[in-house]
């Protein structure tokens, strides 16, 4: 199996740069916020963080392609960095500390592109999670200050904790009934939302989570972290990986039950 240690170290450097940019403007009274064509917000910090990441990658990995939420795709080749500079921009804008920079490296293989490195950095929570293919998943402050993480062993949906992002998206897609049935049947339901749901699945604090509409940059980094923690990350159709336009993540033991409520 290839060694992705150097790529993981670089991903941490990228996250450090992004953290400095995002924390510098977090809760700033003069923060500039615009509305994108898809009616979602974007701040100057989103753009600054992605520009910093692209600048470092341009020097350190000039042959690698890049895909980012704010500036689109650039370059060709079998390796592509996928970046969401601020996952949880609505939280960021309102001063809620639950937001993160998501950085993944995807590599082309026989089955298509797959994440091989992922870092999720939430500086306002003082937390960071990461994984590399075949190397396990970790949480901590840095590569030298880390704890290995793993998913829960909860095997019954009646004992499970379920996290989601919002009701509206499920209703728009005609799946609100399944979401409500799952909420009634499981032990606990909370709308942690965004990256945090997946990181808590990876840590074993939450057992199942799902979102009805996502982009690749929302899922690439969480997917490999959940998988390396021993869980499953699929689309609602059950196809493994971050390519389905939506997501279901679990400890693995509960995955088929989760898809039974919410799957296509």
């Amino acid at each position: 199996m290839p060694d992705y240690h150097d790529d993981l170290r670089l991903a941490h450097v990228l996250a450090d740069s992004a953290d400095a940019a995002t924390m510098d403007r977090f809760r700033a009274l003069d923060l500039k916020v615009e509305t994108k064509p898809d009616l979602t917000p974007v701040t100057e910090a989103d753009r600054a963080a992605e520009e910093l990441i692209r600048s470092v990658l341009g020097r350190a990995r000039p042959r690698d392609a890049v895909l980012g939420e704010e500036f689109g795709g650039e370059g060709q080749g079998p390796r592509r960095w996928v970046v969401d500079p601020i996952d949880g921009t609505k939280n960021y804008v309102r001063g809620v500390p639950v937001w993160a920079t998501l950085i993944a490296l995807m590599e082309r293989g026989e089955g298509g592109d797959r994440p091989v490195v992922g870092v999720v950095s939430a500086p306002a929570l003082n937390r960071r999670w990461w994984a590399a293919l075949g190397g396990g998943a970790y949480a901590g402050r840095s590569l030298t200050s880390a704890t290995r993480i793993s998913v829960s062993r909860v095997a019954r949906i009646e004992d499970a904790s379920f996290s989601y992002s919002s009701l509206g998206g499920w209703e728009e897609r005609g799946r609100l009934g399944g979401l409500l049935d799952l909420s009634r049947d499981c032990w606990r339901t909370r709308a942690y939302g965004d990256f945090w749901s997946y990181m808590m699945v990876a840590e074993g604090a939450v057992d199942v989570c799902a979102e009805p509409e996502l982009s690749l940059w929302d899922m690439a980094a969480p997917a490999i972290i959940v998988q390396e923690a021993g869980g499953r990350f699929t689309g609602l159709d059950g196809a493994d990986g971050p390519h389905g336009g939506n997501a279901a993540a679990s400890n693995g033991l509960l995955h088929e039950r989760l898809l039974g409520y919410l799957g296509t």
Side-chain angles (χ1 to χ4, degrees):
M1 181 175 292
D3 182 358
Y4 295 103
H5 185 70
D6 287 346
D7 294 309
L8 183 59
R9 288 177 61 87
L10 175 59
H12 277 271
V13 171
L14 299 174
D16 290 342
S17 297
D19 287 355
T22 53
M23 286 301 292
D24 182 61
R25 301 299 293 156
F26 184 49
R27 292 177 174 161
L29 296 179
D30 60 344
L31 179 70
K32 296 178 182 178
V33 184
E34 300 174 16
T35 300
K36 294 191 286 189
D38 63 0
L39 302 183
T40 60
V42 60
T43 72
E44 59 186 284
D46 291 82
R47 294 186 173 121
E50 186 171 323
E51 285 174 336
L52 277 172
I53 290 170
R54 286 173 178 268
S55 176
V56 175
L57 285 173
R59 296 191 300 272
R61 295 288 191 276
R63 296 183 179 179
D64 291 353
V66 183
L67 173 68
E69 179 177 11
E70 306 308 332
F71 297 106
E74 179 181 358
Q76 301 290 330
R79 290 165 47 97
R80 178 171 60 162
W81 294 86
V82 180
V83 178
D84 187 346
I86 299 180
D87 183 53
T89 300
K90 292 177 182 177
N91 282 348
Y92 186 90
V93 168
R94 292 297 302 271
V96 178
V98 183
W99 48 270
T101 296
L102 315 185
I103 300 167
L105 172 62
M106 301 190 70
E107 197 168 69
R108 193 169 302 152
E110 292 182 1
D113 289 357
R114 62 176 180 172
V116 294
V117 168
V119 171
V120 172
S121 188
L125 295 177
N126 201 28
R127 298 296 307 278
R128 186 177 289 186
W129 302 262
W130 62 90
L133 186 65
Y138 294 84
R141 296 288 301 278
S142 67
L143 283 169
T144 57
S145 177
T147 301
R148 189 159 185 169
I149 58 176
S150 62
V151 297
S152 75
R153 302 301 300 169
V154 173
R156 295 187 344 127
I157 207 72
E158 295 80 6
D159 300 326
S161 177
F162 167 56
S163 178
Y164 64 100
S165 55
S166 70
L167 296 177
W170 296 101
E171 186 173 29
E172 289 170 7
R173 286 152 189 82
R175 298 181 187 172
L176 182 57
L179 181 81
L180 295 177
D181 287 343
L182 174 58
S183 299
R184 295 185 188 103
D185 290 348
C186 70
W187 169 64
R188 192 167 191 254
T189 301
R190 289 292 183 271
Y192 296 116
D194 298 322
F195 74 95
W196 209 18
S197 293
Y198 304 105
M199 296 306 96
M200 286 194 287
V201 168
E203 289 186 335
V206 167
D207 309 300
V208 292
C209 69
E211 290 186 88
E213 184 178 15
L214 294 167
S215 298
L216 181 61
W217 47 74
D218 298 310
M219 298 184 283
I224 187 169
I225 294 171
V226 169
Q227 290 165 359
E228 287 293 322
R232 275 193 74 190
F233 190 106
T234 73
L236 295 176
D237 61 359
D240 288 310
H243 297 287
N246 45 51
S250 77
N251 63 5
L253 299 174
L254 296 168
H255 207 80
E256 296 307 319
R257 288 292 307 275
L258 174 61
L259 294 178
Y261 286 98
L262 302 175
T264 57

